C-alpha cells in the first residue's frame, strides 16, 4: 500500500508537504539561511568592537549605506540582540530539532512518518511566519529589538525607554516559533513512544533519537514558562500593566523586575541543553559508527541525559548571582550547577570508551564529532568557573561568559550541525558530499572557532564587559584591545571558511557522487532503505532484531549486523529474547491522539503555571491587596463557573455516544457544549465591560492586571476550545465519522475538561481567596 | 597579566579561586585530550586491525564509572564549593564595622548619580553632596555603596576590585569594598541598559583621607540640593 507513489502536485509535494523528510529539508534551508545571517551579524559585531566607529570592511557599505558603512550606537544593540535571538531560535533550533529531529527520528525508529503529519507541516509554517516577523522587525521605524536576546525588563517592557515595534515583533516572532517547537515536540514524543518499528525496544533506539526526545521533553516543560513571561512583557508594553516594571518608570506599583529573570532563566538554562542534547545523541551514534564499535555504556549514556535534563530545571539561579538575590539561595544554585559535572564526566567516559580499541575511520562526520568532543570539553569545564558564585560575580556579563557559552552553544553546535549535514546528506539527497573539501572545511573551522572563542574568554578575564559597542571608552581595557582586533580578523576568516561548505553543499546536490543506500557501513535500520527513502520511508514496515550499534562483528564479510538482520541475536551472542517481541508501542493503553494531547496539555499546564505562579509571587510581594469580593461580581462569576462545569458534563455524554457510534446524539451534545461555552464567554464579556465601566481596568491596579491577564488567557482557551468543537460538530455530520475519529473526539474532550479545570482554579484564587 | 590590577583588600580571593578552578579543569582537560589523542592514533583503522566487540556493560566499566563520579564530585565539586565558601566569607560575607564611608548611587540611562551624606551624616537631606560619574573614596577605608536604579537595570562594576552588583529599579542592593592603593580607576556598567551602555563610564578616585575630605568640602560649597532622589540609609523607596 505504501510503495505506491501518489501523484501529487508540485506544491503538495515540495511546499505544503506532510512528508517529514521534505519538512526536514525545509527546516534545514531556513535554519542555514538564518545561520548565515546570524554569522554575518557576528562578523559586524566583531569588526565594530575591533575598530569602533570605523566602516565595516567589505559589507559595511552594503548594510549601512546611509552612514558610509559605520555601525551607529543604536544599531549595535540590535546586532547583538538579533544575532543571539536568531542563532538560538531561528538557526540552531530549526536545524537541530526541526531538521535533524524531523529527518532522523521517524527513519531511525523505522516509522513511516510522524504521528501527526499535518501538524508537522503546520509546525514548519509557524516557524516560517515567525521568521517573517523577525525579518520585518529590522525594517520598522526604530528598528529591531535592541534589548539583548534575554529581553531583561524593564529595558524591554517599558515603552518609555523602548518605544518602537522591534521588541513586540521579536516577541511575536518568538511566540510563533514557540508554537512551532511545541507542536514539533508533540510529534516527536508521540512518534517515539508509540510508533517504533516492531521489535524495537526503547533501549534499541539510536542515541540521536533519545537526544531529540529529551530536548522535546525540556521544551514541553519549560518553553511555556518563558512564553508566559513574554506575554506579560507584551502586556506591560501595550496594555499599560506593570508586571515587570518598578520604580519611577512604573505606571502602577507592585511590579517585580527580577521575577522576569527567574521565568526567563527557568527556560533559558534548559534551553542550552535543548540545543546540545540532539548533538550529544548524534555524536554518540557517530563515534560508534566510525569506531566500528557499539556505543559504550549505552544505558548509562541515556541515564546521564536524563539526569542532566532533570538537573537543568533547577539551576537557573546561576545566571542571577549579581542580581541581588539571597547569597544562601545562590549557594544552593551553585552547588546544584556544579553537580552537573558528574553526569557530564560519565558522558565523556562513555565517548572515550566507544573509541577505545575501536577501528577508527576519520571520515568528515567523524572529524566533526571529534571536534565536538574537544570544544564541548572546553565549554563544559569553563562552565564550572561561571558556577562558582564568588568568581562569577567578577566574570558575569563579561566576555568570559560569552566565550564559554559559545563553546557550548556555538562551537559544539556548529560542529554538530556540520556533522549532521555531512553524515545525512547522502540519505537526504541521494548524493555524497565531497570528502576532501569537507576535511578542509573541518580543519579551518575548528582552528578559527577556537581562536575566536578562546581569546574571547581571555579578554573577559581582563574584565571586558559584553555588549559594549566601544571598549576603547575604558582605560582598563586598553591592554586587550589588540586582541579584539585579532578576533575580528579571525571571525572574518571563519565566515569565509563557510563558503567552502556552501560550495560543497550546492555542488554535491547536483554533481555529487551517487550514494547507495548505506554509504557509511552503518547498522541502523534507516540504512536499509533507499537514498533518498521512498515516500513512506520503507517499502515494507521493517522488523527490528537488535540495537543500532552492532559493529565489530564478523558477518558475511561485513563488520556489522544490521538492525533488520533476523539472525542478529545469534550473531551478537545476545540472550534469546525473541519470546517477547517489543511492539514498538510503549504506551499501549493510550491511543496516539490522546498521547499527543497529553503532551500538549503538559505544556498548557506549564503556561498556566507560569501565569498563576507570577500572580502568586506578585500578590505575596505586594504591600496591600484589595479584597476581591469588593471588586468582583462573585455571584455572577460563580454562575459562570457552574455553566462551564455543566459543559464538561455534556461533553462527557457526547464522548460516550461517540464510543457507542451514535452520531446524532454526539452532535446534539457537542452543540450543547458549544452553547454552554459560548454562554460562558458571553457572560464574561458582559462582566468585563461592566467592571471596566466601574473603573476596574487592566492598567489601573496590579490586581486588575492579574485578573484580566489570567482570565483573558483562559477566555482565549475557551474560544479555541469552542472552535475545535465546532469543527468536530461539522465533521460529525459526515457518516462514519465516529468509527474513524472517536479517539480525536476523546482527545478534544480532554482539552475541554482541562480548560474547565483551569477556570475552577482561577475562580478560587482570584475571586475567593 | 590576565587580570586587571587588583587594588582591593580582598580581591585576591577571587583570583585565587580562578587559579584553583583553572588548575582543576586543566588537569581534567589534559587527561581527556591525551587519552583521546592516544586512542585516535593507537586505534586508527588500518589493514589487519579489528575493533573489539563490547557494549561496555561490564563490572569493570561500572566500577570505573563510579570511581570517576566520585573523583569528580569530591575532587572538583566539593573542592570548589569549599573554596568558594571561604572566598565568600572573606569578601561578600564580611560586613565592615566601625569607620566606614557610605555612598548612595542611583544609576540612570547613561550616568551614575552619586550621593554622599554630607555634614549631618544622613541621606536624603538638603546638605547631601551630589556628583555625577565622579566617585572619590579614601584609601584603606571600607566603603558601602547602596544602589537603586532610576530606570532600567544597570550593574555597578569595579574591575579592579573584582566586584559587581546590579542596580535594580524598585529595590536597593549594596556592595562593600576597600581600596589599598591610590589612583584613578574605571567604574563600568556591566548590564546592557540601552544604546549608551558602552559609554556609561564612571571615574573612581582613590586618595588619602585628607585629600578626600578636602574634595568633599569643595564639592559641598558648590552643592545645589537635589531632593528628587535619595533614601534614608537602610530603607530605600
Ligand atoms: C560564528 C561565529 C560566532 C561569532 C564570532 C559570534 C560572536 C558573538 C559575539 C561577539 C557576541 C557578543 C555580543 C556582545 O555581547 O557584545 C555574541 C553573542 C551571542 N551569540 Fe554569537 N557568535 C557566533 C556564533 C553563534 C552561534 C552559532 C550561536 C548559536 C547558538 C550564537 C549565540 C549567541 C548568543 C545567544 C549571544 C548573546 C547575545 C546577547 O548578548 O544578547 N553565536 N556572539
Ligand atoms: Cu544556565
Ligand atoms: Cu549599562
Amino acid at each position: 500500500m505504501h510503495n505506491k507513489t501518489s501523484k501529487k502536485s508540485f506544491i503538495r509535494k515540495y511546499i505544503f508537504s506532510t512528508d517529514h523528510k521534505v519538512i526536514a529539508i525545509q527546516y534545514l534551508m531556513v535554519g542555514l539561511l538564518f545561520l548565515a545571517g546570524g554569522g554575518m551579524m557576528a562578523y559586524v559585531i566583531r569588526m565594530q568592537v575591533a575598530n569602533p566607529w570605523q566602516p565595516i570592511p567589505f559589507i559595511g557599505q552594503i548594510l549601512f549605506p546611509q552612514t558610509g558603512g559605520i555601525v551607529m550606537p543604536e544599531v549595535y544593540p540590535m546586532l547583538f540582540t538579533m544575532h543571539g535571538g536568531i542563532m538560538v531560535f531561528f538557526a540552531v533550533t530549526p536545524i537541530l530539532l526541526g531538521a535533524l529531529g524531523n529527518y532522523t527520528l521517524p527513519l531511525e525508529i523505522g516509522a513511516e512518518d510522524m504521528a501527526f503529519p499535518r501538524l508537522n507541516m503546520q509546525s514548519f509554517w509557524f516557524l516560517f511566519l515567525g521568521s517573517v516577523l523577525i525579518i520585518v522587525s529590522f525594517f520598522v521605524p526604530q528598528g529591531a529589538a535592541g534589548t539583548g536576546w534575554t529581553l531583561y525588563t524593564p529595558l524591554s517592557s517599558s515603552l518609555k525607554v523602548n518605544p518602537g515595534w522591534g521588541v513586540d515583533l521579536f516577541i511575536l516572532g518568538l511566540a510563533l516559533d514557540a508554537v512551532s517547537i511545541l507542536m514539533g515536540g508533540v510529534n516527536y514524543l508521540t512518534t517515539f513512544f508509540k510508533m517504533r518499528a516492531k521489535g524495537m525496544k526503547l533501549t534499541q533506539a539510536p542515541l540521536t533519537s533519545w537526544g531529540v526526545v529529551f530536548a522535546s521533553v525540556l521544551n514541553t516543560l519549560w518553553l511555556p514558562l518563558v512564553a508566559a513571561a513574554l506575554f506579560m512583557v507584551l502586556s506591560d508594553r501595550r496594555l499599560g500593566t506593570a508586571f515587570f516594571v518598578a520604580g519611577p518608570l512604573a505606571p502602577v506599583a507592585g511590579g517585580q523586575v527580577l521575577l522576569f529573570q527567574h521565568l526567563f532563566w527557568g527556560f533559558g538554562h534548559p534551553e542550552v541543553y535543548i540545543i546540545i542534547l540532539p548533538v550529544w545523541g548524534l555524536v554518540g551514534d557517530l563515534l560508534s559508527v566510525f569506531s566500528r564499535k557499539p556505543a559504550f555504556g549505552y544505558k548509562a549514556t541515556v541515564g546521564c541525559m536524563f539526569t542532566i535534563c532533570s538537573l537543568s530545571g533547577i539551576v537557573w539561579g546561576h545566571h542571577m548571582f549579581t542580581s541581588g538575590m539571597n547569597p544562601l539561595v545562590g549557594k544552593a544554585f551553585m552547588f546544584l550547577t556544579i553537580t552537573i559535572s558528574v553526569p557530564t564526566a560519565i558522558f565523556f567516559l562513555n565517548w572515550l570508551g566507544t573509541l577505545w580499541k575501536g577501528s577508527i575511520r576519520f571520515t568528515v562526520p567523524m572529524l566533526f564529532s571529534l571536534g565536538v568532543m574537544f570544544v564541548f570539553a572546553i565549554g563544559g569545564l569553563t562552565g564550572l568557573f561561571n558556577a562558582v558564585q564568588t568568581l562569577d560575580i567578577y566574570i558575569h556579563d563579561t566576555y568570559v561568559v560569552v566565550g564559554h557559552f559559545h563553546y557550548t552553544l556555538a562551537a559544539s553546535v556548529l560542529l554538530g550541525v556540520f556533522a549532521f549535514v555531512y553524515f545525512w546528506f547522502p540519505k537526504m539527497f541521494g548524493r555524497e558530499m565531497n570528502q576532501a573539501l569537507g576535511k578542509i572545511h573541518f580543519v579551518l573551522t575548528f582552528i578559527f572557532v577556537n581562536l575566536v572563542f578562546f581569546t574571547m574568554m581571555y579578554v573577559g578575564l581582563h574584565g571586558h564587559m559584553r555588549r559594549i559597542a566601544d571598549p576603547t571608552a575604558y582605560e582598563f581595557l586598553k591592554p586587550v584591545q589588540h586582541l579584539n582586533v585579532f578576533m575580528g580578523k579571525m571571525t572574518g576568516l571563519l565566515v569565509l571558511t563557510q563558503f567552502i561548505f556552501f560550495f560543497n553543499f550546492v555542488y554535491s546536490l547536483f554533481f555529487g557522487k551517487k550514494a547507495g543506500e548505506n554509504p557509511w557501513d552503518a547498522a541502523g535500520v534507516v540504512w536499509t532503505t533507499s537514498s533518498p527513502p521512498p515516500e513512506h520511508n520503507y517499502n515494507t514496515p521493517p522488523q527490528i532484531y537488535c540495537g543500532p550499534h552492532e559493529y565489530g562483528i564478523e558477518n558475511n564479510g561485513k563488520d556489522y549486523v544490521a538492525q533488520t538482520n533476523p539472525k542478529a541475536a545469534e550473531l551478537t551472542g545476545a540472550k534469546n529474547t525473541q519470546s517477547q517481541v517489543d511492539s514498538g508501542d510503549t504506551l499501549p493503553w493510550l491511543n496516539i491522539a490522546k498521547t499527543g494531547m497529553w503532551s500538549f496539555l503538559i505544556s498548557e499546564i506549564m503556561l498556566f503555571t507560569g501565569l498563576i505562579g507570577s500572580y502568586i509571587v506578585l500578590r505575596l510581594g505586594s504591600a496591600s491587596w484589595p479584597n476581591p469580593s469588593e471588586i468582583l461580581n462573585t455571584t455572577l462569576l460563580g454562575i459562570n463557573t457552574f455553566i462551564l462545569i455543566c459543559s464538561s458534563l455534556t461533553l462527557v455524554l457526547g464522548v460516550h455516544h461517540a464510543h457507542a457510534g451514535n452520531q446524532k446524539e454526539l452532535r446534539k451534545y457537542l452543540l450543547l457544549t458549544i452553547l454552554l461555552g459560548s454562554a460562558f464567554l458571553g457572560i464574561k464579556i458582559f462582566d468585563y465591560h461592566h467592571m471596566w465601566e466601574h473603573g476596574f481596568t487592566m492598567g489601573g491596579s496590579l490586581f486588575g492586571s492579574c485578573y484580566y491577564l489570567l482570565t483573558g488567557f483562559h477566555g482565549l482557551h475557551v474560544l479555541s476550545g469552542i472552535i475545535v468543537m465546532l469543527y468536530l460538530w461539522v465533521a460529525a455530520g459526515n457518516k462514519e465519522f465516529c468509527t474513524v475519529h472517536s479517539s480525536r473526539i476523546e482527545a478534544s474532550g480532554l482539552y475541554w475538561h482541562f480548560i474547565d479545570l483551569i477556570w475552577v482554579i482561577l475562580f478560587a484564587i482570584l475571586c475567593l481567596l | 597579566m590576565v587580570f586587571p590590577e587588583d587594588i582591593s583588600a580582598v580581591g585576591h580571593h577571587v583570583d585565587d579561586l580562578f587559579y584553583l578552578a583553572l588548575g582543576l579543569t586543566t588537569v581534567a582537560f589534559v587527561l581527556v585530550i591525551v587519552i583521546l589523542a592516544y586512542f585516535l592514533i593507537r586505534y586508527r583503522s588500518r589493514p589487519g586491525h579489528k575493533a573489539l566487540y563490547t557494549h561496555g556493560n561490564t563490572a569493570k566499566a561500572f566500577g570505573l564509572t563510579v570511581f570517576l563520579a566520585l573523583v569528580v564530585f569530591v575532587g572538583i565539586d566539593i573542592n570548589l564549593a569549599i573554596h568558594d565558601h571561604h572566598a565568600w566569607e572573606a569578601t561578600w560575607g564580611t560586613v565592615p564595622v566601625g569607620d566606614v564611608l557610605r555612598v548612595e548611587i542611583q544609576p540612570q540611562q547613561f550616568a551614575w548619580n552619586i550621593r554622599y551624606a554630607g555634614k549631618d551624616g544622613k541621606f536624603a537631606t538638603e546638605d547631601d553632596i551630589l556628583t555625577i560619574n565622579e566617585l572619590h573614596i579614601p584609601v584603606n577605608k571600607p566603603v558601602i555603596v547602596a544602589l537603586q536604579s532610576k530606570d532600567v537595570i544597570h550593574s555597578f562594576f569595579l574591575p579592579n576590585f573584582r566586584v559587581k552588583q546590579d542596580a535594580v529599579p524598585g529595590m536597593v542592593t549594596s556592595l562593600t569594598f576597600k581600596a589599598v592603593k591610590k589612583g584613578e580607576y574605571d567604574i563600568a556598567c556591566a548590564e546592557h541598559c540601552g544604546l549608551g551602555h558602552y559609554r556609561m563610564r564612571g571615574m573612581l578616585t582613590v586618595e588619602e583621607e585628607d585629600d578626600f575630605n578636602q574634595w568633599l568640602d569643595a564639592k559641598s560649597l558648590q552643592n545645589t540640593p537635589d531632593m528628587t532622589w535619595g533614601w534614608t540609609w537602610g530603607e530605600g523607596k
Side-chain angles (χ1 to χ4, degrees), chain A residues 291-460:
Chain A
S291 302
R292 316 308 297 163
K293 266 192 72 201
F296 196 86
Y298 173 97
K299 283 184 191 162
T301 301
V302 176
C304 286
M305 284 188 183
F306 176 79
T307 315
I308 292 175
C309 284
S310 313
L311 283 172
S312 77
I314 47 175
V315 298
W316 75 90
H318 60 216
H319 297 274
M320 297 170 63
F321 288 141
T322 65
S323 67
M325 76 176 169
N326 183 327
L328 273 181
V329 179
K331 280 207 170 112
F333 277 125
M334 161 185 170
F335 199 72
L336 287 168
T337 304
I338 53 182
T339 51
I340 294 184
S341 59
V342 174
T344 313
I346 299 175
F347 219 96
F348 262 92
L349 182 73
N350 287 337
W351 279 351
L352 287 174
T354 306
L355 295 166
W356 170 68
K357 296 206 171 173
S359 173
I360 299 166
R361 298 181 184 172
F362 294 96
T363 59
V364 175
M366 181 61 165
L367 290 176
F368 276 98
S369 304
L370 294 169
V372 172
M373 272 183 81
F374 185 91
V375 293
F376 194 77
I378 298 184
L381 289 167
T382 51
L384 284 169
F385 295 75
N386 301 328
V388 176
Q389 194 178 9
T390 319
L391 177 55
D392 181 67
I393 288 177
Y394 173 60
I395 60 183
H396 176 68
D397 267 329
T398 68
Y399 267 109
V400 176
V401 175
V402 181
H404 152 72
F405 75 67
H406 276 82
Y407 263 107
T408 56
L409 281 185
S412 308
V413 166
L414 212 59
L415 298 182
V417 164
F418 290 133
F420 161 65
V421 174
Y422 282 106
F423 186 73
W424 284 91
F425 192 91
K427 185 56 68 184
M428 282 184 174
F429 301 109
R431 290 181 187 272
E432 290 180 19
M433 284 181 82
N434 184 300
Q435 294 286 305
L437 281 179
K439 283 179 184 171
I440 298 173
H441 175 223
F442 167 74
V443 172
L444 293 178
T445 303
F446 182 76
I447 292 174
F448 294 132
V449 155
N450 278 290
L451 287 179
V452 173
F453 296 131
F454 208 86
T455 315
M456 233 179 238
M457 294 195 289
Y458 184 85
V459 298

Side-chain angles (χ1 to χ4, degrees), chain A residues 220-232:
Chain A
T220 306
L221 286 175
W222 304 118
L223 190 55
L225 208 63
V226 80
L230 291 182
F231 285 129
M232 287 159 79

